Each structure stands twice: as structure tokens, then as C-alpha cells.
Amino acid sequence: MSPVLAGVLQFLALLAALALAYRPLGDYMARVYCSSRHLWVEKWIYRAVGADPSAEMRWPAYLRGVLAFSLAGVLFLYLLQRVQGVLPGSPGFAPIDPDQAFNTAASFVTNTNWQSYAGEQAMGRLVQTCGLAVQNFVSAAVGMAVAVALVRGFAARPGTRGCARTGEAPSHTGPLGNFWADLVRGVVRILIPLSVLGALVLVACGALQNFSGLHEVGQFGGGVQQWHGGAVASQEAIKELGTNGGGYYNANSAHPYENPNGLSNLFEIFLILLIPFALTRTFGRMTGSVRQGYAILAAMATIWTVFTALMMWTEFAHHGPAFEAAGGATEGKETRFGIAGSAIFSVATTLTSTGAVNSFHSSYTGLGGGLDLLGMQLGEVAPGGVGSGLYGMLVMAIVAVFLAGLMVGRTPEYLGKKIGTRQIKFAACYFLITPALVLGFTAAAVALPTPGGSTLNPGPHGFSEILYAYTSGANNNGSAFGGLSADTEWFNTTLGIAMMLGRFLPMVFVLALAGSLAGQGPVPQTAGTLRTHKPLFTGLLVGTVMIVTGLTYFPALALGPLAEGLAS
Amino acid sequence: MSTPTVTPPRTETGASHSDAPAGHRPGGGTGRIGGGLFDPRQLLTSFPDAVRKLDPRVMAKSPVMFVVEIGSVLTTVLAVLNPGDWFGWAIAAWLWLTTLFANLAEAVAEGRGKAQAATLRRTRTDTVARRITGPDEERIAGTELRVGDLVVCEAGDVVPGDGDVVDGVASVDESAITGESAPVIRESGGDRSAVTGGTKVLSDRIVVRITAEPGATFIDRMISLVEGAARQRTPNEIALNILLASLTVVFLLAVVTLQPFATYAGAPQSMVVLVALLVCLIPTTIGALLSAIGIAGMDRLVQRNVLAVSGRAVEAAGDVSTLLLDKTGTITLGNRQAVEFLPVRGVAENELADAAQLSSLADETPEGRSVVVLAKERYGLRERHQGELTHAEWVAFTAQTRMSGVDTTDGHKVRKGATGSVAAWVHERGGSVCEDVRTLTDRISAAGGTPLLVAEENRGTARVLGVIHLKDVVKEGMRERFEELRRMGIRTVMITGDNPLTAKAIADEAGVDDFLAEATPEDKMALIRREQADGTLVAMTGDGTNDAPALAQADVGVAMNTGTSAAKEAGNMVDLDSDPTKLIEIVGIGKQLLITRGALTTFSIANDVAKYFAIIPAMFAVAHPGLDKLNIMDLHSPQSAILAAVIFNALVIVALVPLALRGVRYRPMSADRMLRRNLGLYGLGGLIAPFLGIKAIDLLLSLIPGNG
């Protein structure tokens, strides 16, 4: 079987698995967020943190919850790293420098998982397990909570709020629901059970899960390597499932303890895409029209499929004697996964906010690296991070609806909510933030003398290294292009800021948007209403994503990956 | 064909609305909204205004074009500093032209309104008012009148201000505001009492109570509306402006950060090139035309003799999903007509027709006339005149007797009239009304018609001959129009004072979606509130004072110009032609306004793709030769490529001015079809057109000697 055919079959298998899980998982998540019952363990948590899970929250309150919780997370994680040397459980690990500790704290709380350290050398088991792994769960749950709040804004109807399901009492009395309830449920009922299942599968595939200290491994060229063991498979499961991406080891998912073989590789890609895609079903369920969810799903799936196809094409069909001899661009890719397994993984990880890598993105062809960059620059909406992908796509849908609505001669409306000045204002602020951060910081980095020295390569590739770093940070992806020595004060600090602003400013506008939508009574549908569940609208949505966000980066991409990719 | 627009329209010629496009087609037609023709000479005449608008304080209102103006200044300064650089001068010149073209579009749109305003102003000459003070009257200037003053107007006087007739009846020439030369009757009381300042009394004498302060009269409002002085930005326009401004910021970011990137790549760019790139990327096309589109939308209404109090109302009209239409005059012709004669058993149809005709000769009401017409058309009965029958005693129709007829000297009497009256007449004369009659009248009532009885008394015996079926005749083409509205997602509700049975029959025949029978003003109000509670926007027309609350409550309330001033105050539009069917066109105009904005925005954004392909390789192909592969248009030289993109960007504004003024073609169709059509035309068109345009301009530029 040719590697290309194998790649296509892998992709189809992935598609089938995602399709199978889509409905049950999406419906289950809708039930979780609409449920009026609290589990005993949840009640216990609410009591412990002193939160009232049934309290009404308008958007400022919801936002305060998000920000307070995240700020506490950053502080805790920062302190934990600074004092890890004196705490039990991490023998032999030194405290982390302030700038790197800030960077790492920001990175894990923002669901970015950019790592300017090498996991196995810098972070002890205590930090890995009690700090980073915990944030892997809760930062993902925060993203999902914000997305659910936006969905509730759309679904809000006078009388009942949030849940359009019939026969079920509305559980969320507040306009946007309750942040603490959403957060805890996301962790307890969705992320933990799924990651337990995921970890079991990964262990079955051969991933490491033990606390047995050092492993000695014989090297290919002779000699012995020593590796720390740890809760690798369990961290791997939530790393992919929560679109986190922070690896236990520096080599991330290219490391055989994290991702031992082709099957585990495919399963990890499945985990990455599972929740972001299924959330569109949850969205459809909660707004009372699963077809609206399908339209969003179709837009996401279209971009994802096209990117995967392009990536396969550019990696397999690259010209040059060495490439042709090897059957494609194999540099920096694990032979366990092959070109296809790596290409599918890298598209999935950059189109979501995961940032886990099973190959060296810097070694991709110029255009391949460009696809990884563009995938993130689109705002990670296809399907995007857990929660953040859905709300990012919904904001884009608002822009698309606005244009389309004007073109059919009505004040635009989406899911029965009028898209007026306020909504456009919030949407515009949303899509301004990330380009401002990415382009602004990249420009500063290349204009200043010191940061430019961190690049490994000169010319367009070196430029791509810096552009990639800020793209990855501001979009909360966390993957690294490689080559860039990012553990400097400049990069640790600026990337930390980019990650924080790139995560929480958009959330401010999403929640404000949700609030403004929740306060609106619905507009009845007529034949004059634009139907937003049709392929035509899906096409328009894809076009809006490509043009509104993609065009912004065109000049930068031209000087980086395009200049490199088109040179040969 | 519309009225010429540079020369003051309609009021001068009086020809006016009758040839305004689609203005007066009761029903029928495709419902297509046309617009005023665009005359290229307007570009020239509006040029001075366009230059005046270069004032930065004016430009700042449009963020997109303000950025272009700053770019123009910047490139001009650079060109002055470096006078030998022809490229810098060329870019600066074309950027100024871009700014100017945008102003020109707005100036042309405003110019049309100004011409109309000038005509209106002429009618607002200083009038002399004859104010009643106690038993006397004094002559004062019209501008000194205050609300509540009573003034006298006699034949030949110009009404000094807006008001209501409180005494008398007069014929008034309102051509100054309506363009209609035929005089109208204005009388005290009722729904025909409002007079407008500036109109002329042709006969008789009326006393008017002034209802508007000087400077706030109807004509004043009209002037400020058509001039655009009172124009406020509409909600959708504001939202679109925000979107455009944020796109401008995004591209500003992209261009500002490009210089460090370019320097890093070893290919720093000149300021001129960066400004050119920025201007090409920001949505200048829509930014330049946005305000012209809004002004032209209002203008299209004015051309149809509709005055909107605000642009907001026009936009709301596009969103309307329920139309309340009065039955009489809108859906039906307004008066009932005889459609058949139904004789009782034992009477020949011809005999009945003959009696019906005879008895209706003395009935001058439209209903009576229609009986005569039916007899003539269906039964070939020649119309007789009252003088033909000698010694006949004619009984004219009155509202009291509700009968008409004739008594001939030979003792033969015929009567025609309301069922109850004629039945009583027969009973009085010892006759009886047979069961047959009841069957027939019930049948007519069930069908929504009105039965009239025809009876005769001959040699002492009275009997009913038969029944005339009077029917409300639905205007031609209404069914198709409602069908169209339904496709656009608009529900029509017929409002009538008729009983539910009659209402239902007419509603079915006309094809409206719903009806409100035996409607009182309170019922109307309740209906509007109910619809609005569901989130629906409601439009209605009305003319009477009792319509005023409902007009105010409706999202779009179109008052008839013939109506009371209370109604005109309450509504947010006034139809000078007093044509209730125009509501349907107003909806079309509202939609067209939004579609034009959306279409040009999409076009503008889609243009960027081609511009990138022109400019990026031109900027960087030297530093990174691989990027020359992006030069898919195979443009001549870097400079010609950039210049071509800038020129295209400027020219496309001029090319789209007519479209902005006329509005994009609009036909009633479902939202999905409309989106597919407009996305294909303006989305795909916007992608492809600049590739062709830039290539063509580049070819021309390459012919200039010394270039590249």
C-alpha cells in the first residue's frame, strides 16, 4: 500500500470514528450543561469553594468568575514552580526562573501549553501532576464554559433560558448560567471520564503510566539513555482531549512513551478533535436546532479537510532529489507515523488550540509550515480548541450573518437574534485582538536587536520561527515551530503576555456578546429570513473566515513560509 | 422612466408621480424597484461640493476615507520632498482622486435632493396670514403665526401654515407638495381637514387652526429631509461602519507591521508603497459609497412621493414581516359593484335586469351606477335617461330611505335598495317576501357580498322580483402581489369593518394571509401589539385621526397625505399620493437599501484578494524571487502593478456610483435565492473583476514610455 493511500485511509478512519462519537457525545454534553441535578462530588466541591451553583449570572458576573479563577490559577502555578525545589515529590528539581515560571503559568492557564522548558528536565512530578495536569483539565473546562455561555445567549428565550429541550425544567435561572457549575461539570462529567477512557486506550497501545523512577533505554548508536517515568498516558489523554498540548517530555507526542505507534497516533488525533467537533452538536441541541449545529460543523470540517489534503500534498509531492528519494518530506517526522500520520496530526493540532506535536514543524516544507501557521491564524476555529473553537466560529458566523443579512435585505439575524450595532462591535473587537498581538509582537521582535538573535535560521525561515511563536502564543495553540530559542526573558515575557491577552480579552467580548444576545427576545422566522443551516451559508462562513482573518496575515506569510515554499 | 433629476423634478411640470417608475401600478407588475437615472453630468456639477468635502472635519465622519485622505497628504508630502519620482507623484494623484471620487458620490446623491429642496423653498415664499383676533382679523407675516392661531383663507390665498380646517370647505391646490395638479377638497371635521402651508386655496373660504410653529411645518421638514440635513445614520449603517472601521484597523496593523518584517527580510519598502498597499486593502469601495447609498435610498422614496421622517423608518420597512392593509381602497376598489342579478322563481332574468336598471337611474351612488352598467354590459339594456320617461316620478336614493326607484303614471312602481327597506316597502303594500328571496340573500351574504332587493308594485300587488348581488371587487393583480410578499416572508393582514363572513370571502379572494373583521381602532392596536410581542415588525397605512395611535405604534406607519394632521404626526412616513398600496413598494425600497450596502461591502472585501496578488509580488519579488510566482496576472513591473491596483481602486468607485444611487436590482424572492444571486454577483464578481481590471490598467500603463 502506498503511503499516500495509507494516509487517506487513516484520514477516513479518523472521520468515521469522529462521526460515530459525534451525536452521543454532543447530546451528552448538552444534557450535562442543561441538567438541574448536582452530583455529590460536585456539591462537595461547591461547598469547598463556597460557590452557589444555582445562582444567576449575567455576563459580568460570569466573566468575573472566569477571570478570578484563572488569575488564581496563574498565581498558584507560578508559586508552585518557584518553590518546587523545597517541596516533597520533586527530588533534584531546581526552582524555575521567574520569567519562565510566569510564561509557563500563563501558558497552562490559558490552555496554550507553550513550553519554553524541557518537561522531563525542568518540571518535577509535583508540578507536572498537581499543577500542569490540573490546569490541563480546568483551563479546558473554562473554554467550554465560555462557549456554553455564548450558546445560552443564543438560546435564551423569554421564560426559559439556556435549554431548548422540551420537558426539562430550565436549570439555569441566570441569563448565562453559572460559571462554577459549568466549570465543575465540564471537569467532572466530561473531561475526567473521557480522559480516563482515553488513558486506558493509550496504555493499551503501549504508552507509559508508572511512578517507577528512571528507565534506562539502549540507544540506536550504542550507549544508554535515562528517562523519568510518570503518569504519562493519563497526562497524554487530557493533553489531547482538552486541546492543551503540553507534553510530559520535551519531544511531546513524538516521544515513544507518549505516542508509541501509529494506532496511538491516530487515537491521539481523534482525542484532539473529539470535543471541539462534538460541541457543535451540543450547540445545536441547546439552541433547539441541530441543523444549525451541522452548518457550523460543516464549515469546520470543510476547512479541516482542505487543510489536511493540502498538507498531505505539500509534504508528499515536494520537489527535489532528496524528497523524491525519500518519498516526500520526511525530515523531522517519526518513521513510526510516516508522512501522512504526521501531516494529519500537525493539521489537527494547529487547527485546534492543542499544540501537541508528533513531528518537527520547522522541518516541514515551506508551504507545509505555512499551512500550520495559517491554521492557527484563522483563529483556530476548525474545529478549534475545546470551547474556544466553537465560540470563535460563532463570532465569525455573526460577521458572516451580518454580511449575508444585508445582502438579503433584512436587518441580519442569527438563530432568531438580531445582529445589530452592539453585536458587531463585540465581534469586531474579538477578531481584532489576535492579529494585533501576533503582528505587533512579531514586528517588535524582528525590529529589536536581541530577540532576532534567538532564531536558528536566517532569512524567511528565521522569520517564520518568530511569527510562529507569537501566532502560537496569541492563539493559545502552544505548538512550537522549533529552532527558536524561546527561553529568554524577552520571549518568556512577551509570549506570556500574548497568551494571557489572546485568551482572556476575546473571552471578555464573547461573554459581553452572549449577554447582549441573552437580553434579546427572538425574532420569528419567515421566508425572508436567511436560513443559516444551508450549504450556501456554510460556504459563506468558510469564505468569511478565510478572508476576514486570513487576509490579515497574507503579507507576513508571504515573507515567511511563502517566500520559502515558492523559492524552489 | 423617471423624472429628470438635475432639473427640479415633478413640481414644475406637475407630471410627477404618474410617470415615476412603478409608482402607480395598482397591483400587477413584477414589483421591481427601479430608481432615478444617473446622469454623468451630475459628476461635473457636483464637483465643487466634492472638493469642499475634503475638509478633514467632514472626512473624519467616514473612518475609511479619512485614512485615505491622510494617505493622500502623506504621499503628496513625500512627492514634494522627492520631486523627481514620477511614481510617487502618480500614487499621490490617484489617492487624491480616490478621496475625491468618494466625495463626489456623496455630493451627487445630495445634489438630487438639493434640487428638490430648491423647488420646495420657492413655495415657502413669505405669505401673509389673516389672523382672526376676536371679531376682527389682522394681516401679519406667516412667520409670526403661533400654534393655535386661527387664520382665514379665501380663494386665491396661500395657506400660511400647517393646520386643520375648523370651519368651511374649500378646494385646495396641493401641487406644490404632491405634484398632483387636480385640486382636492378640504373641509372641517372628519379625515379631510388637514391643510399644508404653501398650498393654495382655489375656491371658497376656510378657517384654519394653525398646528405647527413656523420653521417646523411640513414643507420645512420636507426640505430638510430631501436635502439630507436631517439625515441620521441608521442602526444598520452604524453597525456596518463599525465593521468597516475594524477591518481598516486590521489592515492598518498588517501594513504598519509589514515594514519591520520587510526590513528583516532585507527589503524595506518606501512609505509610498506602504500607503498604496494600505489604501488598496481597506474597504474603500463601500467606505466611499456608504453615505451615498443611504441618501439615495431616501431619494428613491421621495421620487415615489413618500416622505420618511427618518432613515431608520426606511430600514425598518425592509425588516417588516407583517403588513396591515385596509381593505377598502387598498385591496378592493373601494366601492361595491353589482355583479349579477338573481331573479326569484317566476321572474325572467331580463325582467329583473330591466327593473333593476330602471330603479337605479335615480341612484347616483357608485353602487347604483354599477347596477346600470351591469344591466348594459350583461343584458344589453341601453342606458335610459331620466328624461326619457315622461310623467315619471323619480325617487332618488337617500341614506334615510336606503332605496331608489321610479313611480310611473300608470301606477307601476319599482324600488331597489337595502334588503330591510325594500322588504318593508313590500309589506306596506300588502305583498310578502317569499322564501326564495331569503335563500338568495343568504347565499350572497355567505359569499361575502351584499344583497339588494328589487321589488315592484303593479296594479296594487307588490312583490320582490329578485336580488342584486353587490360585491367588493378585489383590485386586479392583488393576489399575485400577496403571493410575492409571502415569498419574501411578509404576512398580510386585511383590516376591515365588514362582518367576519364578508371579510373572509374577500380575504380568500384576495389571497391575504389573515384578516381582522369588524375592526375598531382598539382592535388594530391590539393586533399590532400582539405581532410586536412576537418580535415581528409591523407596517400599516392610515389616514384618520383614529388611526393615529396605531400608526404611532406600528414600526412603519405610512400616513396618507389626505389624512388628518394627527395621523401625519403619528406616522413615520407620509405618502403624498395617498396610495395605500405603496406600502408594498416602501418595503421593497427598504430592502433594496440594505442589499445595496451588503452587496458593495462584499464586493469591496472580495477585491482584496486580487490586490494582494498584484502588490505583494511587486514589493518582495526582488528580495524573495520565489514570490514572483504570485504575480499570476503577469503584471509589467512592480511600479505599474502597484499603480494599477491603486488606479483600479479609485476607478471602481466611480464605476459603482450609478449602482449606489440606483440601488442593486431587487426582485421579491426568498432570502436563499437572493443570497445565492447576490453572493454570486458581488462576491464572486468582486473576486474576479479586479484581476481583469488591474491587468487591463497595467497593460495601458506599460504602454506609457519611460515606465519600467
Side-chain angles (χ1 to χ4, degrees), chain A residues 407-485:
Chain A
M407 273 194 286
V408 302
R410 269 170 77 99
T411 292
E413 59 209 50
Y414 186 45
L415 300 167
K417 298 298 175 96
K418 286 208 165 177
I419 305 304
T421 311
R422 279 167 67 80
Q423 287 74 29
I424 284 296
K425 197 156 57 188
F426 295 136
C429 289
Y430 178 94
F431 73 68
L432 271 176
I433 294 164
T434 333
L437 291 173
V438 173
L439 295 174
F441 277 121
T442 309
V446 298
L448 294 172
T450 352
S454 294
T455 59
L456 180 69
N457 297 283
H461 199 82
F463 176 71
S464 295
E465 289 173 14
I466 298 176
L467 180 64
Y468 196 104
Y470 287 108
T471 303
S472 174
N475 283 293
N476 302 133
N477 185 276
S479 70
F481 203 45
L484 185 72
S485 311

Side-chain angles (χ1 to χ4, degrees), chain A residues 406-411 421 424 428 432 436 439 443 460 463 524 526-531 547 551-552 554-555 563 566 568, chain B residues 235-236 239 242 246 250 253-254 257 261 318-319 488-489 534 536 591 594-595 602 605 612 624 626 629 671-672 674-675 678-679:
Chain A
L406 289 184
M407 273 194 286
V408 302
R410 269 170 77 99
T411 292
T421 311
I424 284 296
L432 271 176
L439 295 174
F463 176 71
T526 70
T529 313
L530 174 76
R531 285 182 298 168
I547 288 192
L551 280 187
T552 318
F554 191 82
L566 295 173
S568 52
Chain B
N236 275 316
I242 291 174
S246 51
V250 164
L253 266 171
T257 55
F261 300 170
D319 288 346
M488 288 157 60
D534 295 337
T536 309
K591 285 191 177 295
L594 295 185
I595 296 173
T602 311
I605 297 172
Y612 265 136
H624 297 303
K629 285 181 190 157
D672 288 348
M674 194 122 69
L675 180 63
N678 289 329
L679 213 50

Side-chain angles (χ1 to χ4, degrees), chain A residues 107-275:
Chain A
S107 172
F108 276 76
V109 172
T110 58
N111 197 246
T112 311
N113 298 29
W114 170 269
Q115 292 165 297
S116 68
Y117 59 90
E120 62 272 26
Q121 288 155 24
M123 300 293 170
R125 212 172 277 156
L126 186 74
V127 176
Q128 292 262 28
T129 314
C130 298
L132 305 185
V134 168
Q135 278 302 332
N136 277 354
F137 283 95
V138 293
S139 70
V142 167
M144 289 161 74
V146 172
V148 166
L150 178 60
V151 173
R152 288 205 188 97
F154 278 114
R157 300 281 183 271
T160 64
R161 282 192 197 278
C163 304
R165 289 170 56 82
T166 49
E168 193 170 79
S171 61
H172 296 278
T173 46
L176 295 181
N178 183 290
F179 169 67
W180 303 107
D182 292 339
L183 174 72
V184 171
R185 287 175 184 190
V187 173
V188 172
R189 301 196 205 176
I190 298 171
L191 293 171
I192 289 181
L194 283 178
S195 61
V196 166
L197 288 177
L200 288 176
V201 174
L202 284 172
V203 169
C205 287
L208 199 72
Q209 180 83 359
N210 62 35
F211 294 97
S212 61
L214 290 173
H215 293 243
E216 292 206 342
V217 182
Q219 277 184 300
F220 189 62
V224 170
Q225 272 185 336
Q226 289 189 325
W227 291 95
H228 285 280
V232 179
S234 57
Q235 179 143 336
E236 190 69 11
I238 187 61
K239 171 184 113 183
E240 316 295 11
L241 189 69
T243 62
N244 292 292
Y248 199 91
Y249 299 107
N250 191 33
N252 209 300
S253 296
H255 198 289
Y257 288 177
E258 290 197 13
N259 190 3
N261 51 42
L263 185 60
S264 69
N265 186 53
L266 205 57
F267 182 69
E268 287 184 8
I269 304 172
F270 169 76
L271 285 182
I272 288 175
L273 298 168
L274 181 63
I275 292 181

Side-chain angles (χ1 to χ4, degrees), chain A residues 268-560:
Chain A
E268 287 184 8
I269 304 172
F270 169 76
L271 285 182
I272 288 175
L273 298 168
L274 181 63
I275 292 181
F277 273 132
L279 273 174
T280 59
R281 172 82 181 183
T282 311
F283 160 71
R285 269 266 169 255
M286 288 177 71
T287 53
S289 166
V290 286
R291 289 190 302 178
Q292 299 286 354
Y294 292 151
I296 298 289
L297 171 72
M300 290 175 167
T302 305
I303 297 177
W304 171 60
T305 309
V306 169
F307 267 64
T308 307
L310 285 175
M311 185 64 97
M312 296 258 244
W313 169 75
T314 171
E315 295 308 293
F316 272 116
H318 205 65
H319 294 300
F323 294 123
E324 277 154 25
T330 49
E331 182 196 313
K333 298 185 178 78
E334 290 289 316
T335 49
R336 299 201 299 289
F337 315 132
I339 291 176
S342 304
I344 299 173
F345 195 107
S346 85
V347 167
T349 197
T350 47
L351 278 177
T352 61
S353 75
T354 312
V357 289
N358 75 346
S359 49
F360 203 48
H361 288 184
S362 176
S363 296
Y364 276 54
T365 61
L367 295 180
L371 282 172
D372 281 335
L373 264 170
L374 183 62
M376 292 185 281
Q377 286 163 345
L378 291 185
E380 290 167 358
V381 290
V386 283
S388 62
L390 180 63
Y391 64 65
M393 196 52 129
L394 288 176
V395 170
M396 277 296 128
I398 283 177
V399 177
V401 155
F402 184 73
L403 289 179
L406 289 184
M407 273 194 286
V408 302
R410 269 170 77 99
T411 292
E413 59 209 50
Y414 186 45
L415 300 167
K417 298 298 175 96
K418 286 208 165 177
I419 305 304
T421 311
R422 279 167 67 80
Q423 287 74 29
I424 284 296
K425 197 156 57 188
F426 295 136
C429 289
Y430 178 94
F431 73 68
L432 271 176
I433 294 164
T434 333
L437 291 173
V438 173
L439 295 174
F441 277 121
T442 309
V446 298
L448 294 172
T450 352
S454 294
T455 59
L456 180 69
N457 297 283
H461 199 82
F463 176 71
S464 295
E465 289 173 14
I466 298 176
L467 180 64
Y468 196 104
Y470 287 108
T471 303
S472 174
N475 283 293
N476 302 133
N477 185 276
S479 70
F481 203 45
L484 185 72
S485 311
D487 186 17
T488 66
E489 265 183 41
W490 164 267
F491 279 108
N492 274 335
T493 312
T494 54
L495 279 169
I497 294 171
M499 288 186 276
M500 300 274 267
L501 295 181
R503 174 75 165 177
F504 296 112
L505 277 183
M507 281 185 173
V508 172
F509 297 116
V510 166
L511 288 174
L513 179 65
S516 77
L517 291 170
Q520 257 187 48
V523 183
Q525 282 229 333
T526 70
T529 313
L530 174 76
R531 285 182 298 168
T532 47
H533 57 78
K534 292 282 171 177
L536 186 65
F537 178 74
T538 299
L540 180 69
L541 181 53
V542 172
T544 308
V545 170
M546 298 303 295
I547 288 192
V548 171
T549 53
L551 280 187
T552 318
Y553 295 101
F554 191 82
L557 288 173
L559 289 174

Side-chain angles (χ1 to χ4, degrees), chain B residues 448-613:
Chain B
T450 311
L452 292 183
L453 294 192
V454 182
E456 65 164 6
E457 185 191 0
N458 210 359
R459 287 181 289 278
T461 55
R463 61 170 181 150
V464 174
L465 293 172
V467 187
I468 302 172
H469 183 175
L470 279 187
K471 195 174 146 190
D472 243 346
V473 179
V474 173
K475 284 184 184 173
E476 219 179 304
M478 286 318 274
R479 183 171 263 284
E480 289 72 28
R481 269 203 137 172
F482 293 137
E483 188 57 45
E484 245 172 34
L485 287 170
R486 205 166 298 121
R487 279 203 300 276
M488 288 157 60
I490 296 172
R491 215 165 67 90
T492 42
V493 181
M494 182 181 87
I495 309 286
T496 172
D498 292 342
N499 64 60
L501 212 60
T502 313
K504 177 158 182 5
I506 295 171
D508 286 346
E509 191 184 341
V512 294
D513 298 293
D514 205 351
F515 63 89
L516 183 66
E518 289 169 351
T520 62
E522 293 75 35
D523 291 342
K524 252 195 222 187
M525 196 65 176
L527 177 67
I528 295 175
R529 288 233 172 90
R530 207 161 51 236
E531 295 278 335
Q532 286 174 335
D534 295 337
T536 309
L537 261 59
V538 182
M540 69 168 286
T541 59
D543 54 2
T545 300
N546 58 15
D547 284 332
L551 279 172
Q553 178 72 32
D555 301 282
V556 176
V558 184
M560 300 294 105
N561 189 45
T562 52
T564 58
S565 42
K568 285 201 259 182
E569 278 297 320
N572 45 17
M573 290 191 199
V574 177
D575 179 17
L576 300 176
D577 298 333
S578 308
D579 168 15
T581 51
K582 219 182 262 176
L583 196 48
I584 300 174
E585 279 171 50
I586 294 172
V587 169
I589 290 172
K591 285 191 177 295
Q592 194 189 26
L593 179 66
L594 295 185
I595 296 173
T596 309
R597 279 192 205 132
L600 291 185
T601 306
T602 311
F603 184 85
S604 194
I605 297 172
N607 269 207
D608 279 2
V609 175
K611 290 171 187 166
Y612 265 136
F613 278 98

